[in-house]
Every structure is written in C-alpha cells, then in structure tokens.
Amino acid sequence: MKSCEDGTKLRHWLTLASGMLECLCFAGVVFGYASLVFVLKDDGYFSELCVSNVSLTQAGEQTSSDCRDQDEQFSLVFTIASFLNNFLNLVNGFLFDRFGTLVTRLLGISLYTTGTLLVAFSSADVSQMLFPALSCIAVGGILLLLTNMQVGNLFAAHRSTIITLYNGAFDSSSAVFLIIKVLYERGVSLRSSFLVMSLCSTVHVARTLLLMPRTHIPYPLPQSYTYGVNCGKDNSYNVEQVERKRETSRTPDQNLKQEETLSYLFTCEIVFMCSEVSFRSCALSWFFLGHFLWLSLMQLRHYLFIGTLNATLNRLANNDQNLVSRYTNVFAVTQLFGVLCAPWNGLILDRHKGKPRVDGETEQEADLRSSYLSLFLTSLQCLLFSVCASIPLLPLQYLTFSLQVLNRSFLYGGNAAFISIAFPAGHFGKLYGLVMSLSAVISLLQYPCFALVKGPLQGDPFYVDVTLTLLTLLVFIHPLYVFIHCRRKAQSRKNTSRAEVSTDSRLSEAKL
C-alpha cells in the first residue's frame, strides 16, 4: 500500500511537470503570430496583394510597395484564429464537463495536428490555407490548456498557483514561433519546423493515456483517487459522482446544517456559490457579468496589439526590416517570461492558504476575499500597458512588451482561477467556455478597428488606442464589486455574531 501511495505522488508530479512542458511548448503558439508573419512575408504569402508605386525623385524613378492589403489579410487570419480560440470554448467546456478528459484531449490533439500539417504543406500559391491552419492550431491548443488546468486539484494548497502557472506557460509558448523564425533565418524551412511539431502529437497521445484521467480530477481530492497507469484499481470517477457520493454519505445533522447554510447564502445574495445551483443561475449572476466585462475589454486590447504589431513596427521603424526584425524578436523573447510572471498572481490568490480564517468564514469566501487584489492589479497593469502602446515612440515599445506579457499572464491565469473560486466545480468547464466564447464576440471588434486605422485614419492608430485606453477604465468595476461584496459579507458575519452573543446573554439572564 505504501508503494502505491508513493507511486501516486510521483504520478502527480509527473502529470504536473509534463503538463507544464505541454503548455509551454505547444498550447498557445498561435499568439506568437507576429514572428510567424515575418517568415510568411519572406516566403511570399499574400504577396500578390502588394501594389508597386513609382515616384519621380531627383535621382530618377523610385519604386516602392504598398502592402496594406497584405497586412490586412494577415490581420484577418489572426482575428479569425483568436476568435475561434475563444468562441468555441463554450462547446469545449460542455464537451469537457460531459465526456471528460480523454475525449476532449483526443479532439484537441487531432485539431492541433491538422493545423500544423496544413501550415507545413501550404505555400505562397495557396496562402488561404493559413485560415483553417491557424484556427485549428488555436482551438487545439486551448483544449490542451483546458484539460491541464484541472491538475491544480491534485495540489489543494497551491491550486490557484498551478492554474496561473499553466496559463503563464500557455502565454510563453508563443515564443515557439520565434524559434521557428530564427531557424528559418539559418536555413531551416517552414515545412520542416511544422512537420516536427506534427510528430510531437505522439507525445501528447502518450501523456493522455498514461498521465491523465479518463474523466475529471475532483476537488477536494478524495484519498482513494487514482488515475492513469497504477498499481491498484482505477478510480478515475468524475466530479458529479463525487458530489452524489457526498450527498448520500451525509448524516441527518449534517443535512440540517447544510440547509441552514444554504438559507443563509440565499439571503446574502450569493446563490451562485452553492454547489446545487444551476448553470443558468451562475451565468446570470453579477459576478459572472462583471467578470465577462473585465476579461473582454482587456482581451480586445491585447488581441488588437498582437494582430497589428508587425504593421505598427513597420510604421514606427519607417519600414526598416532589420529594425522590425529586431523588435519582433524582442517581443517574442519577452513572451517567454509569461511563465515566470503568472505564478505571482497565483501566490496572491493563494496567500491566505494555511492561515486561520475569520470566524464564520468558509474556505470559498476566503478564496474570494483574496481574489479582489489580483483583479485590481491585473486591471492596473492593462491600463499602463494600453497607455504605453498608445504612444508612438519606438524605444518605448520595450516597456510596452514587458507590460503586455506581465498583464497577459495575470489576465488568463486570473480568469481561470476566479471562475474556479467563485463558482461550483461541476460548472467550471461550461462557465470557462461561456466567458471565453462571449469575450471572443467582443474580440471581433479588432478587425473593424484595424480597418479604421488602415482606411480613414491613414495608418495612424492613435485615436483608436486612446479610445481603447479609456474603455480600459471600465475593467476596474469588477474588482471594486468583489471588494464591496466581501466587505458586506464580513459585516454580515459580525452582525450575526453580535446577534448570537446578545441572544445567548438574554437566555442566560432568563435562566437566572
């Protein structure tokens, strides 16, 4: 039995480490698109959209190229891929909650492999293949992340830290396209790089079968829980089975106590935190609506920045390709630090773990209380990032890149962690998918913004950037609401405690 327990602990750590590598090397590569665009342009993708202009100078005729339509096509590729990356999360969430890890991961691996093969066998003559290719890579990658975030349930004391760590690795994986760009400049073809990525799918399949559960990892984790290849009987049951087992095992006193607790929760208007609440109630709660606004506005700012980065650098560098290449490399390198920035957010969320809670405060309320600082810091980072991105000064973009990766790592890790804290575990996949899908609809605004910059604004994004910066101020509503809610809860506990003390005093006096 002891050897089995040791084997289970080792399996937990192997699952954590292998999931980290999977997210770091594959899951979010599509967000390194700026580096890939540099390679695709050099290979002549969409080059037929460039128009040659001949102008007369003192030295004679001078020919220049107008590639605005080419830039617009590259932006459209990323817009569609990033939209599907989020919008299909609603389907992904239902799929994950209903069919479990095995089915979800196999679908994700299939999509990811299809995407990498489409890029490998594409060419400048069939540039349109980039549309389905990047979309498949994006959707397959987010499925890998979705199934990996449950690994945090294996380490209860560091659950939020692990969720944010995986999201940080997801962000850092965008540097993979930088590696492909560097290899391309040294003679390695785009086809060879993507064929290698396709072959790596065999590793994903092996990990799915050996180190991941067939259904879900429950939270809190039962002592008898096992998964994958083990020395005992497989006990990879799903979250719903765990909840039903807890319900049937309660004593009458426990059931009565739970009914009183539920009544109190309903009175305090936090119905959505109850384990029996419906998905619809969760989706219509103010917490979810505020979180949707918080995520959507910041995500739109990031998507527009990434999708237009190559065109922006060309404008600020006066089309100096060496300078553009250098800044593109710097941007891609900064993405590597996402995996280092994200755990800071997790530590903020988990800072109360192991400390005594306030009298009458549940673990879920303590988790929620720790979240408003994380939400506020993420909002502040986005505001600073947006201000820097709005200033048309090329050297300042070094600071912009740093703030962007810091904020992005906080944003997506905090998004998943907050949903896992504020809502029932049985609805995590659906709610995560719903908020990502709704935010994807908002992210479609990046394309008309890009068209506005390229058309009426004649390539100058200043007014669009200022407008988005002002809209970013709205994201502070969410942390403020969570803070007020927690303060009201604390005050309610104090009033309840005083009322109980007063009642006990009156009963004592009556007995005397």
Side-chain angles (χ1 to χ4, degrees), residues 446-466:
Q446 64 182 299
Y447 188 71
C449 287
F450 184 79
L452 180 64
V453 171
K454 288 296 180 182
L457 297 180
Q458 298 180 348
D460 187 359
F462 178 75
Y463 293 106
V464 172
D465 288 337
V466 170

Side-chain angles (χ1 to χ4, degrees), residues 2 8 14 16 52 73 84 113 161 179 209 261 317 356 405 411:
K2 183 176 176 58
T8 299
L14 287 175
L16 175 64
S52 297
Q73 281 298 300
L84 292 176
T113 307
T161 302
I179 297 173
L209 299 176
T261 303
V405 70
L411 175 62

Side-chain angles (χ1 to χ4, degrees), residues 58-103:
Q58 293 180 350
E61 292 185 352
Q62 186 175 2
T63 303
S64 60
S65 295
D66 182 0
C67 295
R68 284 182 294 181
D69 291 340
Q70 183 191 34
D71 289 337
E72 190 171 343
Q73 281 298 300
F74 280 123
S75 178
L76 184 59
V77 170
F78 181 76
T79 298
I80 293 174
S82 58
F83 168 74
L84 292 176
N85 173 76
N86 285 353
F87 185 74
L88 290 182
N89 264 307
L90 179 59
V91 178
N92 297 342
F94 276 95
L95 181 70
F96 178 60
D97 284 346
R98 175 66 179 84
F99 296 102
T101 304
L102 179 63
V103 173

Side-chain angles (χ1 to χ4, degrees), residues 28 30-32 78 85 167-168 170-174 299 302-303 306 331 335 338 341-342 345 378 381-382 385 402-414:
V30 71
F31 294 102
F78 181 76
N85 173 76
N167 278 270
F170 177 85
D171 293 338
S172 294
S173 65
S174 58
Q299 181 174 259
H302 281 275
Y303 278 4
I306 295 172
F331 172 74
Q335 303 305 299
C341 298
N345 197 16
T378 305
Q381 292 163 5
C382 187
F385 152 65
S402 301
L403 289 171
Q404 190 269 341
V405 70
L406 176 64
N407 181 235
R408 194 162 177 269
S409 62
F410 267 60
L411 175 62
Y412 289 106

Side-chain angles (χ1 to χ4, degrees), residues 142-217:
I142 199 68
L143 282 170
L144 295 178
L145 174 65
L146 177 63
T147 55
N148 274 314
M149 284 191 292
Q150 63 179 326
V151 175
N153 295 346
L154 298 174
F155 304 87
H158 306 287
R159 186 188 182 202
S160 295
T161 302
I162 291 172
I163 291 175
T164 55
L165 182 64
Y166 274 171
N167 278 270
F170 177 85
D171 293 338
S172 294
S173 65
S174 58
V176 170
F177 280 171
L178 169 64
I179 297 173
I180 290 176
K181 174 180 177 291
V182 172
L183 292 175
Y184 176 83
E185 292 173 339
R186 299 193 177 186
V188 179
S189 68
L190 191 66
R191 174 170 296 182
S192 299
S193 296
F194 274 88
L195 284 176
V196 171
M197 292 180 68
S198 301
L199 290 174
C200 289
S201 294
T202 56
V203 179
H204 303 323
V205 174
R207 181 172 179 270
T208 300
L209 299 176
L210 301 177
L211 290 174
M212 294 295 286
R214 290 194 301 273
T215 55
H216 303 92
I217 300 176

Side-chain angles (χ1 to χ4, degrees), residues 126-138:
V126 284
S127 301
Q128 301 299 324
M129 287 180 66
L130 291 177
F131 286 96
L134 269 295
S135 297
C136 285
I137 291 173

